[in-house]
Amino acid sequence: MNFKLNIILFVALLLNSCTTNTNMAPVLTTSVASQITVNTAIVGGELITDGGNRILEQGICWDSIANPTIAKNKIVNSSGKTIFSDTIKGLKANKSYNVRAFATNFLGTSYGKNETFTTLKTPVINVPLLITNVVTSISNTTALSGGSMTSDGGSPIIARGVCWSTSAAPTVALSTKTTDGTGFGSFTSSITGLSPSTTYHVRAYATNGQGTGYGQDQIFTTTQTVVPTLSTTTVTFIGTTTAVSGGNISSDGGATVTVRGVCWSTSSGATTALSTKTTDGTGTGSFTSNLTGLTASTLYYVRAYATNSQGTAYGNEVTFTTSALVTTPTVPVLFTNAITSIGSATAVSGGVTTSDGGSTITARGICWSTSSGPTVSLSTKTSDGTGPGTFTSNLSGLTASTTYYVRAYATNATGTGYGQELSFSTTAQATIPTLTTTAISAIAITTATSGGSISTDGGSSVTARGVCWSTSSGATVALSTKTSDGSGTGSFTSSITGLTGSTAYYVRAYATNAIGTAYGNELTFTTGAASVNTTGTLSVSVLTVAPGGGFQPKNVVAIWIETNAGVFVKSLLVYANARKVDLTTWYPNSGGSTVNAITGATQSSNATRTCTWDGTDVSGAVVLDGTYKVCMNIADGKTAFASFPFVKGPTAVTLTPANVTGFSNISISWVH
């Protein structure tokens, strides 16, 4: 009996010694502060044990002194999770804080280790820094400059260009400025509307959210305006009462030539004050002048002249003597000009009279026929003025692939004289032009550049050319979506406008002549994506797998978003406190940022991890649509990294990538 009683007492004592006392306060740790900004930080904790009693309240508390308590500043976390975090807001910039996690049960409140952190300094935004380019290509009214930026001041450049004045340090308050785009980099500016012989100050400028910065003051002086420079053409086709001269203006002196011609006299030094002068157009280059009303057997002095805003300049003086009076008049003497610009129905010729035969030329031109020896009795002739000199004649109404005979003619009181006979053959029947479409370039959201190259006009002048486009194949000039880029053969450039972003277009060059419209080869292109910030939700689910390190099954893991170019956007999930640096891809890419991410301590096992992304960056702004990457990094003494690209936009995306080292059962979906 005593033996049995002893056994019962022994077992009771043994059972009592194995019972664990769970009547205690909570035990927890404080996480290191992360995502520290000027006035916020994220801090949390991990509940190790609830002490065997229900947790009544948990969260974080902070103060500027060590070991803060819940009696002052605190945030209560109601998630009910053993790993929790919260964002502390309303902090002061560049100030040190102490923070502790806390948990309260029926026995009281426990605190984690005191952690400290310092908020960031308030960022300083400055105006941009830039250099003014040296002024080049200086004329009397224009010049070239520009700028090159060295810093955007920490804010995007919204305007840039140069400003100028006759006083030092010009600013953008002046109307004398250019606007040359936006953004960082170099730019070129065309300065116009300047005055001759004037000193100017120019500065490059760039504007950001803080204000406008200027480059150094560059000084230049515009060139002086002078009278034109020209020469007088040798006198030819000298008759008894007429002759031909002209001039060549090699420089307008920096101001437009408004009148030009020749003046003559029987004395040296003829000027435009005389009535004996011609008026032969404007501008620089060569011109021809017909001298009339001369006297036979007389010495004349001739000078070309040109007038601009600075005055009148004269070419070199030349002399000639008119022919002796013909006592017995003859028919005019002349040459037939070579045939040029031969088409299927047209050509160009003309003539040059060498003598009026002693009588005024009352008619001149060319006549033609399919038989040799055409005369003015035919209807196939031109009438190209009167008097001596050179004239040009346009032949029309010709038949394709036909041989013609041409003679210049000139008529005076005595009769009609003819130049030598020339022959030519018209080209084959005119057809529509032949052309190609220029490759598409400078493709933007709403614009692009193309053009064409017309190798032949088909035997008929090209009267219209350009490009036409559509969202369907086979665009024609019947559409309003076309350009008009001049006439004639050769290459041309076309600016395509009014396009829609992210849209495929079909483009053809076109050229029109009298026969019809021809098209070049069809090209396609897609406009750039519009700056769209589609909202939506990205859902990520992945089963972590041990990479095979010495800490398994314990591991740290991070899931985050990057741009396709590898720029960090936002962390979605980070389970790592003291061992964040073991995430050797996530940590340097993110700088340890865990703003709005799911966070926690080292995981004791591998499991399915889920997280979402709302399409925003760490500032809360919705990012532009485009290609992004879901990135994953796990470490357990060894590390594994994987990334999976997807397109953020209005179209739903579902991905189930194959298993990779460290990650399996991967599911990624984007829903707008």
Side-chain angles (χ1 to χ4, degrees):
M1 182 66 181
N2 289 337
F3 175 77
K4 290 182 179 180
L5 181 60
N6 288 338
I7 292 296
I8 292 171
L9 291 173
F10 174 77
V11 171
L13 289 171
L14 181 63
L15 290 172
N16 184 64
S17 66
C18 294
T19 300
T20 302
N21 182 9
T22 58
N23 192 22
M24 58 186 290
V27 177
L28 71 162
T29 62
T30 305
S31 66
V32 176
S34 63
Q35 294 302 307
I36 302 168
T37 69
V38 174
N39 51 23
T40 64
I42 295 178
V43 184
E46 182 176 1
L47 186 65
I48 305 303
T49 176
D50 59 9
N53 291 286
R54 181 169 65 87
I55 297 297
L56 302 176
E57 188 176 78
Q58 65 182 30
I60 55 174
C61 55
W62 70 95
D63 203 342
S64 57
I65 60 175
N67 299 316
T69 69
I70 58 175
K72 195 169 185 182
N73 304 307
K74 73 174 181 178
I75 296 176
V76 176
N77 184 281
S78 59
S79 67
K81 296 180 180 180
T82 57
I83 298 174
F84 57 91
S85 65
D86 285 287
T87 300
I88 305 174
K89 300 179 181 179
L91 303 176
K92 294 182 179 180
N94 195 29
K95 183 177 177 63
S96 294
Y97 287 92
N98 294 266
V99 63
R100 293 196 296 176
F102 73 86
T104 302
N105 65 10
F106 288 111
L107 293 181
T109 299
S110 298
Y111 296 91
K113 179 184 175 183
N114 188 87
E115 298 284 354
T116 62
F117 67 92
T118 301
T119 51
L120 301 180
K121 294 180 180 179
T122 302
V124 178
I125 299 177
N126 299 310
V127 297
L129 300 178
L130 68 162
I131 298 169
T132 307
N133 291 349
V134 174
V135 184
T136 61
S137 302
I138 302 169
S139 72
N140 61 322
T141 59
T142 62
L144 286 178
S145 184
S148 180
M149 277 171 277
T150 58
S151 171
D152 63 6
S155 179
I157 303 295
I158 58 175
R160 64 187 190 181
V162 297
C163 49
W164 65 92
S165 174
T166 54
S167 301
T171 71
V172 293
L174 300 170
S175 61
T176 50
K177 62 179 181 286
T178 67
T179 300
D180 302 302
T182 60
F184 189 83
S186 298
F187 57 92
T188 300
S189 305
S190 296
I191 306 171
T192 59
L194 306 177
S195 299
S197 304
T198 303
T199 298
Y200 286 92
H201 297 259
V202 62
R203 293 198 295 174
Y205 74 86
T207 302
N208 65 7
Q210 184 67 17
T212 299
Y214 296 91
Q216 78 279 20
D217 196 317
Q218 295 276 17
I219 302 173
F220 71 98
T221 301
T222 50
T223 57
Q224 182 180 5
T225 300
V226 296
V227 294
T229 302
L230 71 160
S231 59
T232 306
T233 304
T234 301
V235 182
T236 58
F237 305 117
I238 302 169
T240 55
T241 61
T242 60
V244 176
S245 182
N248 182 32
I249 305 172
S250 56
S251 170
D252 63 6
T256 302
V257 173
T258 55
V259 63
R260 64 187 187 181
V262 297
C263 50
W264 67 91
S265 174
T266 54
S267 302
S268 179
T271 70
T272 56
L274 299 171
S275 61
T276 50
K277 63 178 180 287
T278 65
T279 300
D280 302 302
T282 61
T284 58
S286 297
F287 60 91
T288 300
S289 305
N290 292 314
L291 291 72
T292 59
L294 306 177
T295 301
S297 303
T298 301
L299 174 65
Y300 286 93
Y301 298 83
V302 181
R303 292 196 296 174
Y305 74 87
T307 302
N308 67 7
S309 59
Q310 294 299 305
T312 299
Y314 297 91
N316 53 301
E317 186 173 73
V318 297
T319 61
F320 73 99
T321 301
T322 51
S323 302
L325 186 63
V326 178
T327 56
T328 304
T330 63
V331 297
V333 178
L334 69 162
F335 291 99
T336 306
N337 288 347
I339 316 298
T340 61
S341 302
I342 301 169
S344 60
T346 60
V348 176
S349 183
V352 180
T353 58
T354 59
S355 171
D356 60 8
S359 177
T360 301
I361 295 175
T362 57
R364 64 187 188 183
I366 58 171
C367 49
W368 66 92
S369 173
T370 55
S371 301
S372 180
T375 68
V376 293
S377 62
L378 299 171
S379 61
T380 51
K381 65 178 181 288
T382 67
S383 181
D384 302 303
T386 62
T390 301
F391 58 91
T392 299
S393 306
N394 294 310
L395 293 74
S396 60
L398 307 178
T399 302
S401 304
T402 302
T403 299
Y404 287 91
Y405 299 86
V406 178
R407 291 196 297 176
Y409 74 87
T411 301
N412 64 8
T414 302
T416 299
Y418 295 93
Q420 79 281 17
E421 184 175 80
L422 299 176
S423 64
F424 73 99
S425 294
T426 50
T427 61
Q429 178 64 44
T431 61
I432 57 177
T434 302
L435 71 160
T436 58
T437 307
T438 303
I440 315 297
S441 62
I443 300 170
I445 297 171
T446 60
T447 61
T449 300
S450 182
S453 179
I454 306 172
S455 56
T456 173
D457 62 8
S460 176
S461 297
V462 172
T463 56
R465 65 186 189 181
V467 297
C468 49
W469 65 92
S470 174
T471 54
S472 302
S473 179
T476 71
V477 293
L479 299 171
S480 61
T481 50
K482 64 178 180 287
T483 66
S484 182
D485 302 302
S487 59
T489 58
S491 298
F492 61 91
T493 300
S494 304
S495 296
I496 305 172
T497 60
L499 306 177
T500 302
S502 303
T503 303
Y505 285 92
Y506 299 83
V507 180
R508 294 195 295 176
Y510 74 86
T512 302
N513 64 8
I515 305 303
T517 299
Y519 296 92
N521 51 302
E522 184 172 75
L523 299 176
T524 62
F525 72 99
T526 300
T527 49
S531 298
V532 178
N533 307 60
T534 303
T535 57
T537 301
L538 179 79
S539 299
V540 181
S541 175
V542 59
L543 173 62
T544 59
V545 179
F551 304 139
Q552 63 179 8
K554 287 189 175 183
N555 63 81
V556 290
V557 63
I559 301 174
W560 71 100
I561 301 295
E562 289 183 358
T563 68
N564 198 42
V567 177
F568 173 78
V569 176
K570 193 174 190 180
S571 296
L572 307 185
L573 177 150
V574 181
Y575 285 143
N577 282 336
R579 309 202 69 85
K580 287 187 176 72
V581 293
D582 288 354
L583 295 168
T584 55
T585 304
W586 169 79
Y587 192 76
N589 284 14
S590 67
S593 170
T594 58
V595 171
N596 297 329
I598 299 171
T599 59
T602 300
Q603 298 297 288
S604 59
S605 64
N606 285 287
T608 297
R609 310 298 180 193
T610 60
C611 54
T612 60
W613 179 50
D614 61 1
T616 64
D617 58 18
V618 292
S619 71
V622 179
V623 300
L624 293 176
D625 288 358
T627 301
Y628 291 84
K629 295 186 291 186
V630 176
C631 300
M632 303 178 182
N633 193 187
I634 188 171
D636 64 357
K638 289 186 177 180
T639 62
F641 168 75
S643 66
F644 308 97
F646 72 97
V647 176
K648 174 189 175 291
T651 303
V653 176
T654 299
L655 303 175
T656 54
N659 295 344
V660 295
T661 301
F663 306 99
S664 64
N665 298 347
I666 306 165
S667 174
I668 300 170
S669 65
W670 165 260
V671 178
H672 167 52

